[in-house]
Each structure stands twice: as structure tokens, then as C-alpha cells.
Amino acid sequence: MAVSPDTFPPRKRRPSAGSFVSDKKLLQSLLLLSREICSLQPLRFLLKQNTSSVSRKSRLLSILFEELLQREERGPAAVTGYPPSALLCFEELYLLLQRIKTLVEDCTNSNCSKMWLLLQIQSISNSFHHLTMELSILLDIFPVKELNLCQEVQELLVLVKNQSLAGKEAYLDSHDNNLRLQLLEMLDSIQRGIVPDPSHLTRIFDRLCLGDSTSCRDEIENLQEQVVQNQSDHKSKADIIAVIGLVRYAKCVLYGASTPSTETGPSSSRLRRTASDLNIPADFRCPISLDLMQDPVVVSTGQTYDRASISLWIDSGHNTCPKTGQNLSHTDLISNRALKNLIAAWCREQRIPFDSSAEPHVRSCSNGVIVNKTALEATKMTASFLMSKLTACQSVEMANRVVHELRVLAKTDSDSRTCIAEAGALPLLVKYLGSEQPSLQINAVTTILNLSILEANKTRIVETDGVLNGVIEVLRSGATWEAKGNAAATIFSLTGVHAYGKKLGRKTRVARGLVDLARDGPASSKRDALVAILNIAGGGDREAIGKLIEAGVVDMVREVMGDGLLEEAVSILEVVVKRGGLMAVAASYHVIEKLGVVLRDGSERARESAAATLVNMCRKGGSEMVAGLAGVPGVERMIWEIMGMGTGRGRRKAATLLRILRRWAAGLDEDVTSTYSSTLNNNTTNANTTTSGIPTTRIVLPA
């Protein structure tokens, strides 16, 4: 693996020197700046000579600025002022010292990756050399005689100039360069599938002061920050992700698996954020996956989706728009570049990864980082090592640490999920699903959830003995709400495959577990349970609807309508009514009145689902249902509002609802259900392709 010296060009900040209102102000700023550079601690492990050298030169320059300020305070110079050549040199010195300070800060910042410094040590050494040469040029033209400086200060400036000129080439410590070559050689070996010698790993990591799990975890986060800062350079990102794989492997091999830090101090707030940690604007989410769109595209109906999600939908044989249920006149996908630019700008503000230049043919990780073979081999080695540790675990504590590492690794990207599953993780995780230690159970079920994101792993989970039953048992009787919620999310993920959705929907334990969780769990767990119920109910299997009704899904939905989960709740009602659960819905207390409230106060999507549900109830339930709807105060005004300002589907359903009400009012109630059979096939087709616009393939990765 070769890394170009120009991979990470040095950052340059050039503040304006023209903002100073007086010569004295400029000198004071120069003195303060030179002292700030002196106060920066040189690196202990890399570039020590370079950082120490510029610090010494800045200390000597501070003597010059002190002398000039003292002369101003004595009076005469303040009156006569400085010659133009001196002022020009002062301004250029200010800009140069600012650049020196920035470079030193970049190298000594605790948030800077040490591995990144090592890989770029040649380029950084060149930057120090160029700045030193610029300093020597400035000192060479500095008007010493015009300023009437004392002999000691003149000699001091000559000394600094000579020191700056002494190095004809950039200084590169031979030990630093050898360490860099060792790292590159190790990365090349990993690319060829050769497992690194632990002693060689120890030598590199000790030299970089990466001596424990915590420092390695911080190093991974710092490297991920470099990914954010280098979005446009695919080669650099691939190199960084390869190093991340090495650090993750070394962390496990050298220091063992570890649980996450519980720090609450300032350092813990610096952790790199991901999209799942933030409140993503609704317009930036894909309607199918509900994740942040990386490559938004527009389909023929005018709706926008993430390219990966809609491509999978179309490749699965669907010819309708998931959100509207309309037939696609063509399958061309048109890039929504305006929205993509808005998403990229938002990601930059939030400091989360976003690959704004990614194209469909580019193979990338979930965070937009291009994968190379070195990263893949490092991930395989890490997964294999963790499997061997988990097999040999003799204590619950050690097992918990190893399973937590697997959980974190399974969250990173698809290659990690593949490597973990192929290494045989699922059979080993089964026994920990029933662990009496809550954290171990949570880590085990969440690892399975993260693995299930990969389509191939869904089959492995269903076909591996004990895994599916273990997840269902956690759903029913898990030790914590978090464990139950992640089990529900796993069920939801598996229902993305139609056959597995039907299989799960016919299990009484699944139905009862999801309904109980949706009724009694905390908000996040409720949502996981509701979307899983929605997927199962939308599968078109009447047996699954029967199981859900027996478990009390209708009463549960009525209860959660006021818990901020209105869209999911009403959508479940709609599907239950379509699939033969009308009597159960009708028997629920005041359900029509509640749907009337949704028509008035709900979101666009909730109002659309409520209108569709009421249409089906009125068509199937006859005049009694219509009479109940007609008794809702102001119902016609609500329907007119939806017809004027609702979604396309909502307007159509509202118009149908209004026709039903008017026929009933005119005494034509026998016609209420006469048109039902002629439209049943169309409604059923739409129901199979959409669930009132509620996505059916959302995956959320827990931390």
C-alpha cells in the first residue's frame, strides 16, 4: 500500500493582518503569537525535532517583539513610527507565524490521528521545512539597521536566520521513517492475507503511545474524522479505512476486547457522531429505509428515494411506487442533485460522513468509505480472532466483552457483517440470548440485529438452529426493554424477506411479544414493535392477521394513538381492516371517532391512512359504519380539507369517502358496498406494494 506525500496537504490559515489599527497592536499580536507557539508542547513520539525547532525559533523572535514594544513605551519610536519595509515584514511575519502555529497545533492536537501523522510524516516534514525557509527569507530582508536595534537583538536575528538556512532539505528522523515503512509493510502483508506478528504490532503501537484499548478506540475515532475531512479523495479514504481495520484488529489482539467507556467528561463529548445519532430532517430520509439518503433519485411518480433502496425494490419485481402505490411508467432513476447537495451541506455542519461524489457503480461501505482488500482482510482477521476468543471464553465477563466487540464490528459495514457470519458467530451467540446478565443479552441480540441487515445473513439467522427461537424468547421475556426492542427490530429486519415474514406472522409468540412491547414498552421500543407488526400484517397472510387480533393488536393500537406514534398505529388499523379484521376493529370502543380526530389533527400520512381505513370500514361494514362516521362532528369539512390539501392518495380516498357519505345521506345505502367488489382487486394490489406510505424496510443500527 503506497501513500502519496500529497495525500493530506498541510492546512493553511491566512488571517488578514490589515485588521490591526496600530503598529503597537500588530507588535502585541506578534508577541502573543510567538509565545503561544512556544507554549505548545512538542510531540513525544513523532516529529519531535521539527516541532522543537520552530518552538525555539519562535522564542527567540519573541525577544525581538519585546524589545520593540519596550521602545514604544519609552516614547520616541511611537512618534516617528516604523518604515514601510518594517511594517510589511511585521505583517508577513504575523501570517507566517499563524501558519506555523496551525501546523504545530494540527500535529499536537489530541484529536489528531497518530497513524495519520506517521503515514504523512514526509509531507508534514516538508511543510515544516518550507515554513522555515520562508522565515529565513523574511529575516534576510528584515530592515535591522533602519530600526536601530541593539547589538544583542541583531545577533539574535542573525542566529535565527542561520539556523533556518542550515537545513537544506526537510529533516526526517530516521526512526520515524523506519516506523512508517514498517507500518506500510504490515498493511501490505495484511492485504496478502498474512496475519501480523503481535510483537511487530506491539513495537509500532508502543512507539505511537497506543498502549491500551481506550487509546486505540480514540485513534479509530480520530481516523474516522480524517474520513470526514477527505470525502473527495477516494484513495485516501480507502487507505484510512485500511488503517482503521488494522487498529481495530490490534486493539483486540494486544489489549483484548473491552466494553465501551463510561466517561462523562469533556473528552467523551468529542466522540464522532453518525447519522443514527442525530435527528435527521424528514426530507433527507429515504421513504423506504428511513435512513439518510446517500444518493437520492427521482422515480416516474415524482417521489424521491435513495438509489440503493429503490433499486432493490425494483429488482425484487415490483413495478409500483412504494410511497404512492402508483404504477411506474418507467424504471429510470433520475439523480436529485439539488437534494443531494443539501444533504451534503447538512452532513458537513453536523460533522458526519457523507460521500457526495459516490456513483452507483462505486462499491462503498455504509459510511461512504471505499473498501480495499487490506481493509477486508483486516476485518476477516479481527472476526476470526474474536471467534476464537469467544469459543474459549470461560467467564461471563469475558464473553460480554467479546460479544460487545462483535456488536460494534457488525455495525460498521456489510463486509464486517459477512466476515462475522462466515466466521461462525451465530451458533456461538445463541447461548448468550438467554443469559441472566442483562448487558450480555443486549449485546448478543443487538449483534444478531446488526448482522441481519445483510440480506444473506437473514437466511443464516433463520436456518441456524436456535437463533430465531432465541430472538423470539428475548422478545417475549428479555431482561430489559432495550433487549426486547432490539429483538423486535430483528424480527422487523427478517420480515423484509416475504417468506420469513409469513413464517414469523404465524407464530403466536411473535404476535403476543410484539403487541405487548408496543403497548407497554418505552417509545423507542414501541416504534420497533409497531413497524414489525406493520410488516407482518402487510404480508397479505390472513392467519398472521388472526394471530395479531388474538394478541390484542386493535386495543393496543387504540391505546398508542396518543403516544406520538399515530402514523404507525393508523397504518396498522388500515392493514388489519383490509386483511379481514373489520369486526375486531369495529368492536373497539369509539374507533371511528378516533379516526375522525386523526382526519382533523393528524399528519398528512396519518390522515391518508385514516381516510383509507374509513373507506374500507364503510364499504365492508355497511350503513352502520357509515352512520357512525356521519355522526362525527365536522367530518365533511375534514374530508374537504384532505381533498384540497392532502397527498395524492389521500385526496382520492377522501373523495371516495365523501361519495359514500352522500349516498348514505340520500338513502342509497345499498350502494355503499356495491362498488366494493369491483375495486377490491385494485386495492389489494396497492396494499401489497405499500402500507399507506409507511416504509417496510427500515433498519436502525443501535450503538
Side-chain angles (χ1 to χ4, degrees):
M1 169 182 154
V3 180
S4 168
D6 298 324
T7 298
F8 300 102
R11 293 162 51 197
K12 295 184 180 181
R13 301 172 187 162
R14 296 189 64 86
S16 173
S19 60
F20 296 104
V21 296
S22 68
D23 300 345
K24 183 176 181 180
K25 178 72 173 178
L26 177 56
L27 287 172
Q28 289 173 339
S29 298
L30 283 166
L31 177 59
L32 178 62
L33 188 54
S34 60
R35 287 176 174 174
E36 287 176 348
I37 296 173
C38 298
S39 67
L40 296 174
Q41 295 296 322
L43 293 175
R44 291 180 298 155
F45 49 89
L46 292 174
L47 299 164
K48 184 174 182 179
Q49 175 70 19
N50 288 296
T51 52
S52 298
S53 176
V54 295
S55 178
R56 288 192 299 268
K57 291 178 175 64
S58 297
R59 184 177 296 107
L60 294 176
L61 287 175
S62 68
I63 298 175
L64 166 65
F65 306 135
E66 286 177 353
E67 169 67 16
L68 293 172
L69 281 172
Q70 289 175 2
R71 287 174 53 183
E72 283 216 359
E73 292 173 359
R74 289 195 292 267
V79 177
T80 59
Y82 295 104
S85 58
L87 290 176
L88 180 61
C89 286
F90 290 156
E91 291 178 355
E92 290 299 321
L93 273 173
Y94 179 83
L95 297 174
L96 180 60
L97 290 177
Q98 276 285 6
R99 290 166 57 195
I100 291 174
K101 179 188 174 186
T102 298
L103 182 59
V104 177
E105 284 178 337
D106 287 346
C107 295
T108 58
N109 194 327
S110 60
N111 296 344
C112 180
S113 163
K114 297 172 182 179
M115 288 286 184
W116 178 86
L117 279 179
L118 181 59
L119 288 176
Q120 299 305 313
I121 197 167
Q122 178 70 60
S123 175
I124 297 172
S125 298
N126 289 336
S127 296
F128 275 107
H129 178 67
H130 293 155
L131 292 175
T132 302
M133 290 297 99
E134 288 186 37
L135 178 60
S136 68
I137 294 172
L138 272 177
L139 294 179
D140 192 45
I141 63 174
F142 194 78
V144 175
K145 294 183 178 179
E146 295 181 34
L147 293 176
N148 296 319
L149 296 173
C150 64
Q151 185 65 30
E152 291 84 355
V153 175
Q154 292 185 35
E155 292 175 355
L156 189 150
L157 291 177
V158 172
L159 175 62
V160 175
K161 183 180 69 172
N162 291 338
Q163 288 179 344
S164 301
L165 288 171
K168 299 298 182 182
E169 297 180 355
Y171 176 80
L172 180 60
D173 187 282
S174 59
H175 295 292
D176 292 350
N177 194 42
N178 288 337
L179 192 67
R180 172 179 171 272
L181 295 176
Q182 291 175 29
L183 176 61
L184 293 175
E185 182 180 353
M186 183 172 293
L187 291 171
D188 286 334
S189 298
I190 291 175
Q191 187 174 7
R192 298 194 301 271
I194 301 174
V195 178
D197 187 327
S199 63
H200 294 168
L201 280 174
T202 301
R203 183 162 58 249
I204 293 175
F205 277 66
D206 284 349
R207 176 71 185 280
L208 295 177
C209 299
L210 300 173
D212 53 35
S213 292
T214 301
S215 61
C216 287
R217 186 169 59 245
D218 291 341
E219 176 66 11
I220 291 172
E221 291 162 3
N222 292 335
L223 285 166
Q224 289 169 335
E225 286 289 343
Q226 292 301 323
V227 174
V228 176
Q229 296 173 18
N230 292 272
Q231 288 294 325
S232 60
D233 190 337
H234 294 306
K235 177 63 168 60
S236 298
K237 290 191 295 183
D239 291 343
I240 296 170
I241 207 65
V243 177
I244 290 175
L246 171 62
V247 176
R248 186 177 287 119
Y249 171 77
K251 171 179 174 291
C252 295
V253 171
L254 299 181
Y255 312 119
S258 63
T259 53
S261 172
T262 57
E263 292 181 16
T264 58
S267 61
S268 64
S269 63
R270 190 198 57 78
L271 298 180
R272 172 178 170 267
R273 296 194 291 181
T274 64
S276 59
D277 302 322
L278 299 170
N279 183 21
I280 302 173
D283 291 339
F284 293 173
R285 290 183 182 273
C286 174
I288 295 176
S289 68
L290 290 191
D291 287 333
L292 182 71
M293 288 188 281
Q294 294 287 330
D295 189 10
V297 293
V298 180
V299 297
S300 62
T301 60
Q303 300 295 327
T304 299
Y305 302 92
D306 195 29
R307 185 184 294 272
S309 298
I310 192 62
S311 296
L312 181 61
W313 172 266
I314 294 173
D315 292 343
S316 300
H318 298 93
N319 63 348
T320 56
C321 174
K323 191 172 182 180
T324 66
Q326 296 173 286
N327 289 328
L328 298 174
S329 59
H330 58 78
T331 57
D332 295 338
L333 304 178
I334 303 171
S335 294
N336 190 336
R337 298 192 180 277
L339 179 59
K340 187 172 184 178
N341 291 336
L342 289 174
I343 295 174
W346 179 81
C347 288
R348 285 194 297 270
E349 291 176 1
Q350 301 296 330
R351 296 187 63 75
I352 61 175
F354 180 79
D355 190 358
S356 60
S357 60
E359 296 297 335
H361 64 275
V362 177
R363 178 170 176 254
S364 63
C365 299
S366 59
N367 59 1
V369 178
I370 294 179
V371 180
N372 59 17
K373 193 171 187 300
T374 306
L376 179 60
E377 291 298 328
T379 301
K380 287 181 179 179
M381 293 174 189
T382 305
S384 177
F385 176 80
L386 290 173
M387 287 303 98
S388 64
K389 296 290 288 184
L390 190 60
T391 303
C393 277
Q394 299 295 323
S395 68
V396 173
E397 179 183 357
M398 178 55 68
N400 189 33
R401 294 170 63 186
V402 175
V403 174
H404 174 265
E405 288 292 342
L406 287 171
R407 169 183 174 173
V408 174
L409 183 61
K411 186 183 177 181
T412 55
D413 53 55
S414 295
D415 285 325
S416 297
R417 296 175 195 121
T418 299
C419 293
I420 293 172
E422 290 180 349
L426 288 170
L428 296 178
L429 290 171
V430 171
K431 62 179 179 180
Y432 300 116
L433 291 173
S435 173
E436 296 180 356
Q437 184 178 0
S439 61
L440 179 54
Q441 185 183 72
I442 291 171
N443 284 329
V445 73
T446 308
T447 302
I448 294 173
L449 167 60
N450 292 345
L451 291 175
S452 74
I453 308 305
L454 188 68
E455 289 297 311
N457 284 346
K458 290 178 173 40
T459 301
R460 291 188 176 104
I461 291 171
V462 172
E463 294 181 353
T464 301
D465 288 343
V467 177
L468 187 57
N469 285 334
V471 171
I472 295 173
E473 190 57 35
V474 174
L475 173 67
R476 293 285 291 130
S477 57
T480 64
W481 289 118
E482 183 181 357
K484 291 182 178 181
N486 288 346
T490 306
I491 298 294
F492 168 77
S493 175
L494 295 175
T495 58
V497 178
H498 183 68
Y500 301 154
K502 292 182 65 175
K503 179 179 180 179
L504 289 165
R506 293 171 179 173
K507 293 181 178 291
T508 302
R509 289 189 304 156
V510 172
R512 292 192 180 279
L514 292 174
V515 170
D516 291 344
L517 180 61
R519 179 191 294 114
D520 304 322
S524 59
S525 298
K526 283 178 184 286
R527 189 178 299 277
D528 287 326
L530 287 172
V531 294
I533 292 172
L534 190 56
N535 246 19
I536 289 174
D541 191 272
R542 288 183 177 270
E543 184 179 347
I545 294 293
K547 297 289 185 183
L548 290 171
I549 291 174
E550 290 176 7
V553 69
V554 178
D555 289 337
M556 176 275 294
V557 165
R558 181 168 54 82
E559 292 175 18
V560 303
M561 275 188 175
D563 294 342
L565 300 168
L566 193 60
E567 292 182 2
E568 292 87 346
V570 179
S571 298
I572 290 173
L573 276 184
E574 179 187 351
V575 177
V576 169
V577 170
K578 284 182 179 178
R579 305 299 186 208
L582 172 65
M583 298 308 297
V585 174
S588 183
Y589 184 64
H590 290 325
V591 68
I592 288 184
E593 288 85 346
K594 283 186 172 291
L595 289 172
V597 173
V598 176
L599 288 180
R600 185 187 66 218
D601 301 328
S603 65
E604 279 194 354
R605 189 172 292 172
R607 297 168 80 187
E608 173 189 312
S609 293
T613 304
L614 288 169
V615 166
N616 283 315
M617 291 180 69
C618 291
R619 281 174 167 170
K620 295 182 178 182
S623 59
E624 184 179 348
M625 291 291 178
V626 183
L629 176 61
V632 176
V635 65
E636 283 204 19
R637 179 181 57 81
M638 301 173 198
I639 293 174
W640 276 107
E641 287 183 1
I642 298 175
M643 289 173 63
M645 298 182 294
T647 63
R649 182 171 180 265
R651 291 195 296 271
R652 293 194 300 274
K653 294 297 181 182
T656 302
L657 201 56
L658 185 61
R659 286 196 299 271
I660 290 174
L661 282 173
R662 290 189 170 178
R663 285 177 178 273
W664 172 84
L668 301 174
D669 55 305
E670 69 275 5
D671 292 335
V672 168
T673 58
S674 64
T675 58
Y676 173 67
S677 60
S678 65
T679 57
L680 178 61
N681 291 335
N682 290 336
N683 287 339
T684 302
T685 301
N686 289 340
N688 286 334
T689 57
T690 181
T691 312
S692 304
I694 297 297
T696 56
T697 53
R698 180 178 73 102
I699 298 300
V700 176
L701 295 181

